[in-house]
Amino acid sequence: MTVISSTQSPEALSLTIVAEFSAGVERVWQLWEDPRQLERWWGPPTWPATFETFDFQPGGKASYYMTGPDGTKARGWWRFTAIGAPDRLELEDGFADDDGNPVEEVGSARMSTALEDTGAGTRMTVTSTFANADQMEKMIQMGMEEGMGEAMGQIDAILAGAPV
């Protein structure tokens, strides 16, 4: 399993997931900057993602949907706020309606990703910071922590060169 820790911090309104991979930082970075590679792991195995737009630059936006086992589509959006290739990514993350518009009543979270060379590979730390305690609790209850862990659990196979 690639995930080595998952920590909820109600005080900091954050969820932090740390994973380690036996590939270099630049290779792991590609999993974020290439939407086709991102689709192979973003979302749990039973909810694969499809990115419809992906403008990977500060201020750029991405829109995607995850398709559930019954065909249900859950839509989301990102707004990239900072990109420091190949080791830092920050974005605003939210849900979208069927037309791709942000779902305001849910709000958005900030997500930061840091990639660090461990000598034996890469440590990836993903921290989601929520607007308030209610939002954090709702996201945790919706399965965000488990879903992110399952999603990251797919990365080793991609790095090992598993076919699409």
Side-chain angles (χ1 to χ4, degrees):
M1 186 76 179
T2 56
V3 174
I4 60 171
S5 70
S6 181
T7 307
Q8 295 179 28
S9 173
E11 301 79 25
L13 297 174
S14 66
L15 169 64
T16 300
I17 300 177
V18 180
E20 290 187 346
F21 308 102
S22 59
V25 168
E26 280 149 14
R27 175 62 186 106
V28 175
W29 178 259
Q30 292 171 358
L31 298 173
W32 286 98
E33 71 178 354
D34 177 357
R36 301 297 76 89
Q37 290 185 60
L38 191 56
E39 288 175 337
R40 294 182 64 194
W41 70 272
W42 186 255
T46 58
W47 284 82
T50 301
F51 279 80
E52 298 175 296
T53 63
F54 194 79
D55 183 14
F56 194 67
Q57 62 181 334
K61 296 179 182 177
S63 63
Y64 68 93
Y65 60 88
M66 295 185 294
T67 306
D70 64 354
T72 301
K73 289 185 179 179
R75 295 187 174 276
W77 59 270
W78 291 347
R79 185 177 58 81
F80 300 105
T81 55
I83 298 174
D87 57 10
R88 185 178 57 86
L89 172 65
E90 296 177 14
L91 56 89
E92 188 177 0
D93 177 23
F95 288 102
D97 64 20
D98 289 340
D99 296 321
N101 300 310
V103 177
E104 300 297 334
E105 57 268 16
V106 178
S108 63
R110 290 186 320 274
M111 184 170 71
S112 64
T113 300
L115 303 178
E116 174 187 359
D117 185 345
T118 65
T122 300
R123 176 175 295 123
M124 179 168 72
T125 303
V126 178
T127 301
S128 293
T129 305
F130 305 94
N132 55 55
D134 289 340
Q135 182 192 41
M136 180 176 174
E137 182 178 328
K138 183 175 184 176
M139 297 306 294
I140 298 296
Q141 287 177 352
M142 289 175 65
M144 180 180 185
E145 186 170 11
E146 295 83 3
M148 285 289 291
E150 290 176 11
M152 290 176 158
Q154 302 173 103
I155 292 175
D156 279 330
I158 298 166
L159 295 172
V164 176

